[in-house]
Amino acid sequence: MRTPFSSFDQVIAHLDGRGFFHMELGLERMDQALARLLPGRPPFAVVQVLGTNGKGSTASFLDSLARAHGLRTGLYTSPHFVSPVERIRLNGRPLPAADWPAPAEEVYAACPELTYFEFLTVLALLLFARHGADLVILEAGLGGRNDATTACPADVLCYAPVALDHAAILGPTLNDIAVDKAAAIRSRAPVVSAPQYPVARAVIRAAADARSAPLVEVGPLPPGIPLGLAGAHQRVNAATALAAWRRIAPRCGLDAPAPDAPPTPAERRGLARAFIPGRLQSLPACAAHPALLLDGAHNPHGMQALTAHLRTFVRPPACAIFSCLGDKDWLPAARLLRRELGDAPIFVPQLHNERAAPAADIAAALNHGRAQAAARAVPDVAAALAAARECLPADASAGASPVPLSGSLYLLAEFFTLFPRHLAAPDVPAPTFPAPVAPAPEEPA
């Protein structure tokens, strides 16, 4: 007979037993669990955030906007870097691990067959309800049609840019991927969309029309509005979040400006205070590492945003740190970084994951066709940080770009395991996590 959950470790052991990458399509298990635990409509307003690149940033902007207006927010995101508690945040902070066992037992009793991601999604919704959230923002894990977050009725749906990713699961073409993500539109709830490729735009518009759901397509925020997240591409994510906020605010009992009105003082505060780790996150130099620019860029769309941001610095980076998983199509992103850095060194740490690409193979690909080998494999992230410090010039502080660290969320996970303090904004107390859990940055369906 199964032992009830009495500790956070037992909850994590159950999740690990379900298999992080185990996928079972369909929303039947989610529907069963929610019908038993949260029957009817949720006791809070809901925004579901979908897309390929920029989901987490858009969700973070929206969370910050709501908190700037005095709302109690629940933010559910993925992946996590050090511990699953990062995924379930109330008012910007992870809910303590001690809060997990009792509601997790209720989730298990409601539907023992829930997958890893389904279990966490139901747990998050239950915790947000118990803690009195006014607005809940759900970042979809993968796709839309069968994503666990789609089982929770949304009051507004928000689409970040849709691009090629997870093609083996969602389909080989951009049209296939857009169709899957657009299938989350299941009611007349308003839909807000960032600028999309023409194929994705047509698919989202057709899905909204089929449900008589009003569709709002936004452009980037104009210059001059300070944002808490760096990068020109964040002006699109911020505009998407702002448009979604103005449509969800009345559902939360608040007045909203006209859709085309400039941001109010409270909206400007929310946009300026947004934070999410690992998205063009700048860290100053310290005794343990040089000045860094952390980013999860692992596909061409993300790497283009990273390299565009590097060009805003007075000097190019003196070096970079790059590594990735072997079962990802990492070469196009690696080539973009190599082209941007020219002959500058790239240090390739060996990731401690069974799916990791051999660092020597990545270095060889980066050196291919070059007379001088500038990429070098190193044993781990700590070694890469040390090598980066050694190659910086003596006047590195005089306008130089920080060292980019990118290529895989697993690479960021290994960095944050060494430096968990950087998972929180500089003006927020450092997060307190249970003993580190094996990082699991890639999301299941």
Side-chain angles (χ1 to χ4, degrees), residues 31-433:
D31 290 340
Q32 174 185 322
L34 293 179
R36 294 179 178 178
L37 295 173
L38 294 168
R41 290 197 66 84
F44 38 66
V46 176
V47 177
Q48 184 187 20
V49 182
L50 306 105
T52 303
N53 293 305
K55 289 183 299 181
S57 297
T58 301
S60 296
F61 275 122
L62 184 52
D63 176 74
S64 187
L65 282 164
R67 285 191 284 126
H69 288 81
L71 294 183
R72 189 172 179 82
T73 61
L75 178 61
Y76 177 62
T77 60
S78 58
H80 65 267
F81 289 114
V82 176
S83 170
V85 298
E86 299 166 45
R87 297 173 179 241
I88 303 176
R89 294 174 179 260
L90 189 73
N91 278 345
R93 298 189 181 185
L95 279 169
D99 289 357
W100 282 44
E105 183 65 27
E106 296 179 61
V107 173
Y108 180 88
C111 184
E113 295 79 21
L114 290 169
T115 67
Y116 186 110
F117 188 60
E118 290 171 345
F119 191 102
L120 284 176
T121 303
V122 178
L123 178 62
L125 293 169
L126 187 58
L127 283 167
F128 294 149
R130 299 281 170 82
H131 285 268
D134 301 307
L135 172 64
V136 165
I137 300 129
L138 301 175
E139 179 191 352
L142 190 156
R145 183 187 307 277
N146 295 298
D147 192 83
T149 61
T150 299
C152 182
D155 298 287
V156 173
L157 291 93
C158 199
Y159 280 89
V162 175
L164 282 171
D165 205 6
H166 299 293
I169 300 170
L170 302 181
T173 70
L174 182 58
N175 184 79
D176 294 326
I177 292 168
V179 166
D180 190 282
K181 293 179 186 290
I185 302 173
R186 306 194 299 172
S187 72
R188 298 182 62 183
V191 178
V192 176
S193 176
Q196 304 287 351
Y197 291 114
V199 169
R201 182 187 184 198
V203 168
I204 293 171
R205 176 169 287 280
D209 288 346
R211 296 290 186 175
S212 299
L215 173 64
V216 178
E217 297 172 305
V218 304
L221 279 182
I225 300 173
L227 302 181
L229 304 181
H233 62 290
Q234 294 292 4
R235 309 206 78 78
V236 168
N237 297 330
T240 308
L242 181 61
W245 162 248
R246 290 181 172 181
R247 279 148 188 84
I248 199 64
R251 169 73 172 77
C252 300
L254 298 174
D255 294 330
D260 56 349
T264 65
E267 289 173 337
R268 293 175 72 96
R269 284 197 305 274
L271 294 172
R273 293 174 180 173
F275 173 80
I276 185 172
R279 276 73 163 182
L280 292 181
Q281 181 182 2
S282 292
L283 300 180
C286 67
H289 59 70
L292 296 170
L293 184 66
L294 310 182
D295 195 71
H298 62 280
N299 56 30
H301 189 277
M303 187 58 73
Q304 286 166 359
L306 171 59
T307 54
H309 187 64
L310 292 175
R311 295 181 208 120
T312 66
F313 292 92
V314 174
R315 300 181 185 178
C319 60
I321 299 171
F322 179 90
S323 198
C324 49
L325 298 181
D327 54 5
K328 291 286 186 180
D329 184 18
W330 52 266
L331 189 56
R335 285 173 171 165
L336 286 172
L337 182 63
R338 174 78 284 170
R339 187 183 309 155
E340 186 67 26
L341 266 68
D343 292 327
I346 298 179
F347 302 106
V348 185
Q350 182 61 56
L351 300 182
H352 299 146
N353 184 282
E354 61 183 12
R355 296 168 55 212
D361 291 353
I362 299 173
L366 289 167
N367 289 328
H368 181 72
R370 292 182 170 267
Q372 182 176 356
R376 175 159 60 92
V378 294
D380 52 31
V381 171
L385 294 172
R389 289 187 64 197
E390 291 174 4
C391 83
L392 294 181
D395 62 346
S397 62
S401 168
V403 175
L405 185 152
S406 72
S408 173
L409 296 179
Y410 273 98
L411 174 61
L412 295 186
E414 295 195 11
F415 174 85
F416 285 124
T417 300
L418 295 174
F419 304 99
R421 196 273 166 269
H422 296 311
L423 284 167
D427 58 345
V428 173
T432 301
F433 296 130

